[in-house]
Amino acid sequence: MKSLFKTTAIIPIFAFTLFVNSAKSVPVKPSVEVAQQTPSIGREMRSFFESGRLTSEDRLLFQNPPDGVIPLRNQSNSWQFIVFKQGGVSFWMPPGILTQDELPLSTTLGDISFRSLTSHREGQEYVAAYAENLTSEQVENIDILLEAIQNEIPPDEDFKLTEKRAIFLDNNVGQELTFSNQNEVITIRLYLVENRLYALGVRYPKSLTDTRSSRSFLNGLELLNN
C-alpha cells in the first residue's frame, strides 16, 4: 500500500526524478513549472515567513512563470517558487533534493492518483501533491473523502493521529492532520477544490526545535487565477 510519505529511499519508485545539473536545462513536465528564485533579504522574506504569502506585487511576478525550458537543480540551498500549472496552485518549496512522483492511493472510495513533488533534507521531507479528475462519488461527501485519505497517510502503524482540525484555502474546506510516533511528526493539510484534491505535508524528527520552515511551507499554498 502506498502512503503519501515514504519510509525508506529518497528515490521514488515511480521515478522521473529532478536530478539535473545546475548548468543544464530540461523540458519541464506539463504539470509542473519550477521558477528558480532566491527571495531577497528584506521585506519579501519577512513577509513570506510571517504569513506564508508573498506580497501582492511579488506574487504578480510569478503568476505567469516562463514557458518552455526552465533550469532545474537537483539540490537547492534556497527556497524555490513552484507552480503546479495543470493543478492550478503555487507554493514555495524549502531547500533540499527535489524528487517528483506519481502516487496512486487505493482508498475505500476507489483509486486516487496524486502527482507529487518532495524536498528531502536532513531527515525532513516536504511534500506537495494534487489529484485531479476525482469522481462524483469521491467528491460527494468531503468528510468521507478526507477520512478515506487520512487512512492512507501514515507510512506505518507506529504513527498515531494526535490532532485534527478544520482549515480553509480561500473558501474551500480542508483538514489539517498531525500524526506522530516515538521519533517523528507528520503534519499534512488536505483541501478539496471542485474535483481536485490538494495535499501539503511535512515530516520531521521530534528533536527539531525550529519548525518555522514547516509552518511557512504549509501556509504557502495559493490557488492560481484562471
Side-chain angles (χ1 to χ4, degrees):
M1 180 180 295
K2 281 282 187 177
S3 167
L4 288 174
F5 286 86
K6 299 178 179 62
T7 58
T8 53
I10 228 175
I11 307 298
I13 297 176
F14 299 93
F16 39 94
T17 307
L18 294 178
F19 281 143
V20 184
N21 186 282
S22 60
K24 299 180 181 179
S25 299
V26 297
V28 177
K29 299 291 181 180
S31 63
V32 181
E33 288 192 358
V34 181
Q36 294 286 148
Q37 177 72 12
T38 303
S40 61
I41 297 174
R43 175 181 52 77
E44 294 85 356
M45 181 63 89
R46 289 196 301 271
S47 174
F48 172 69
F49 276 101
E50 288 170 0
S51 66
R53 292 288 192 270
L54 293 171
T55 59
S56 58
E57 58 267 33
D58 296 325
R59 185 162 54 250
L60 289 174
L61 295 175
F62 296 106
Q63 201 70 306
N64 295 299
D67 294 325
V69 176
I70 300 176
L72 301 176
R73 291 194 295 269
N74 68 322
Q75 185 166 349
S76 174
N77 294 321
S78 61
W79 287 72
Q80 301 178 71
F81 184 79
I82 309 294
V83 173
F84 280 166
K85 188 172 183 181
Q86 184 173 326
V89 290
S90 66
F91 55 94
W92 284 83
M93 185 64 84
I97 297 174
L98 292 180
T99 61
Q100 284 192 78
D101 204 358
E102 289 182 342
L103 184 62
L105 292 183
S106 297
T107 76
T108 55
L109 291 177
D111 292 342
I112 299 177
S113 182
F114 282 92
R115 298 184 70 106
S116 68
L117 183 68
T118 304
S119 176
H120 311 262
R121 63 165 181 164
E122 299 174 356
Q124 303 170 57
E125 289 184 9
Y126 300 82
V127 180
Y130 73 94
E132 56 184 346
N133 299 323
L134 273 65
T135 67
S136 56
E137 179 186 5
Q138 289 170 337
V139 301
E140 181 178 5
N141 187 311
I142 186 173
D143 292 329
I144 295 177
L145 173 63
L146 295 180
E147 185 75 21
I149 297 296
Q150 172 185 318
N151 295 333
E152 304 303 321
I153 293 173
D156 56 61
E157 295 181 355
D158 290 340
F159 282 91
K160 305 300 181 185
L161 181 64
T162 57
E163 187 176 349
K164 182 177 182 178
R165 67 185 183 94
I167 52 175
F168 292 89
L169 179 64
D170 294 344
N171 295 321
N172 303 286
V173 70
Q175 280 185 353
E176 180 182 279
L177 307 168
T178 300
F179 301 82
S180 63
N181 64 10
Q182 185 176 355
N183 301 310
E184 293 181 295
V185 175
I186 291 174
T187 297
I188 189 165
R189 292 183 179 180
L190 299 166
Y191 304 97
L192 179 64
V193 181
E194 296 179 352
N195 69 338
R196 285 195 186 119
L197 184 65
Y198 298 102
L200 215 61
V202 296
R203 179 176 181 175
Y204 57 89
K206 280 187 172 180
S207 58
L208 185 68
T209 57
D210 186 353
T211 59
R212 287 177 298 176
S213 292
S214 296
R215 292 195 302 271
S216 297
F217 171 69
L218 293 172
N219 289 334
L221 188 68
E222 292 194 71
L223 298 173
L224 298 177
N225 294 330
N226 295 323

